[in-house]
Amino acid sequence: MSTLFTRIIDGEIPGRFVWADDRCVAFATIAPITDGHVLVVPRQEVARFTDADDDLLAHLMRVAKIVGTAQQQAFDAPRAALLVAGFEVPHLHLHVLPAWGEQQLSFDHARHDLPAEQLDAAAERLRAELRAGGHGGNVPAQLGSAAL
């Protein structure tokens, strides 16, 4: 059975994609800790980060760094944070989010009731910054598509 993230990647469930390449995607979470919070997810179903091969992990980290740099610019954040947990969905994913302090880096701060317009606006802001940073080739043409 496909994971929730595979179903999002395959377009069965809507997603707000900011990045796509042949190995991974990044899409906005529906419960962001801060505006611009995205998940970097491999296309390959890997249950835990400790199960992933080193090449895949290196690629995910490279993409997380690019996304994090764009988040810092787009949201005027002093840092980009990286969280790896993986308890809710058994499909490796890296949480990358603009951060202003360690105290906010808790899933207890996730906002579950944001309107779609606010989630869309944050994703579009990040997509624009990724394009401005020279990564337009990896920004899907449409917000809701993981297509290259």
Side-chain angles (χ1 to χ4, degrees), residues 1-17 25-30 39 45 89 91 142-147:
M1 180 193 283
S2 295
T3 70
L4 172 66
F5 291 159
T6 297
R7 294 177 64 209
I8 292 170
I9 293 166
D10 290 345
E12 294 174 33
I13 297 172
R16 292 174 175 87
F17 293 89
V25 298
F27 53 84
T29 177
I30 60 171
L39 307 176
E45 288 185 5
V89 179
H91 189 145
Q142 297 179 356
L143 182 62
S145 173

Side-chain angles (χ1 to χ4, degrees), residues 16-147:
R16 292 174 175 87
F17 293 89
V18 301
W19 179 277
D21 65 34
D22 61 335
R23 300 195 70 193
C24 73
V25 298
F27 53 84
T29 177
I30 60 171
I33 294 171
T34 61
D35 288 346
H37 179 170
V38 301
L39 307 176
V40 176
V41 183
R43 291 179 183 272
Q44 174 188 359
E45 288 185 5
V46 178
R48 295 174 294 268
F49 91 92
T50 53
D51 295 337
D53 67 60
D54 292 347
D55 259 359
L56 178 59
L57 286 176
H59 182 73
L60 296 175
M61 289 300 289
R62 180 183 159 276
V63 171
K65 180 181 178 183
I66 292 167
V67 169
T69 300
Q71 287 170 329
Q72 287 175 258
Q73 296 299 313
F75 298 95
D76 197 28
R79 297 267 192 273
L82 179 67
L83 302 170
V84 182
F87 288 101
E88 290 184 1
V89 179
H91 189 145
L92 168 60
H93 55 288
L94 309 179
H95 292 261
V96 186
L97 58 148
W100 289 264
E102 288 182 13
Q103 68 281 1
Q104 70 190 162
L105 299 181
S106 168
F107 294 110
D108 291 338
H109 297 293
R111 297 166 294 157
H112 298 273
D113 57 352
L114 294 179
E117 297 80 19
Q118 186 173 342
L119 296 170
D120 289 346
E124 286 295 354
R125 196 168 165 183
L126 181 53
R127 288 163 50 85
E129 190 60 45
L130 285 163
R131 282 189 211 97
H135 301 287
N138 291 105
V139 177
Q142 297 179 356
L143 182 62
S145 173

